Amino acid sequence: MARFSLIPEVHLVLVRDGHVLLLQRANTGYADGLHSLVAGHVDGGEPSRAAMAREALEEAGLVIAPEDLRLVHLIHRRSDNERMSMFFAAERWQGEPENREPHKCSELAWYPLDALPETMVPYVRHALACIAAGELYSEFGWDGGR
């Protein structure tokens, strides 16, 4: 019998002057046209903070030391399968964000935390609200929503 599996994901919550860095998804087959955070999957044999640092460099050209990332929220969520979505914040990084994956991202820009786009990936909007409320853990998608 196969053992249960869970897909680990990492998301970057980068805030500067009351603005959060968001990208607009494109040509991926998932949530295209919606805004989200710099994010990706954890590869096997890779610690989560190292995965987040890798994704930040690959997607936005940002150099972040894994030890400078701190976990700010964790969602056990259900979508096409079960996922563990980890949200990491960084106080310092090197570089200015640039869209390094224009084939998968139509925009990379700073948005006011108090005026997020209407077109947000629902669980990402949920996570940002939980982070603002100081909640470290939540669940999403189990009963048709939060």
Side-chain angles (χ1 to χ4, degrees):
M1 180 176 202
R3 193 175 271 274
F4 165 77
S5 64
L6 191 66
I7 298 173
E9 309 167 332
V10 292
H11 300 73
L12 182 61
V13 181
L14 208 58
V15 176
R16 180 170 71 185
D17 300 324
H19 291 68
V20 64
L21 184 65
L22 298 178
L23 56 79
Q24 188 171 34
R25 301 180 59 84
N27 307 313
T28 67
Y30 172 77
D32 290 333
L34 300 183
H35 288 83
S36 189
L37 300 165
V38 169
H41 294 102
V42 177
D43 291 339
E46 178 182 44
S48 298
R49 291 188 303 172
M52 185 73 270
R54 175 181 52 76
E55 291 289 349
L57 182 60
E58 288 175 2
E59 293 185 13
L62 300 171
V63 176
I64 304 174
E67 60 271 14
D68 287 337
L69 291 160
R70 64 183 169 81
L71 184 68
V72 292
H73 194 69
L74 179 68
I75 300 177
H76 184 191
R77 69 183 187 89
R78 188 172 175 189
S79 61
D80 54 339
N81 42 41
E82 287 188 50
R83 296 171 180 262
M84 194 62 68
S85 301
M86 296 168 271
F87 293 79
F88 290 97
E91 302 296 321
R92 60 181 180 221
W93 62 88
Q94 294 176 7
E96 190 61 30
E98 64 177 280
N99 184 358
R100 291 259 179 113
E101 295 184 333
H103 58 288
K104 296 194 285 188
C105 171
S106 60
E107 177 189 48
L108 183 67
W110 297 96
Y111 283 86
L113 277 166
D114 59 358
L116 296 173
E118 290 295 319
T119 55
M120 289 283 297
V121 172
Y123 80 89
V124 172
R125 181 183 296 281
H126 162 84
L128 291 174
C130 289
I131 293 165
E135 298 173 19
L136 185 57
Y137 174 80
S138 67
E139 296 167 352
F140 188 90
W142 292 94
D143 292 319
R146 184 177 179 174

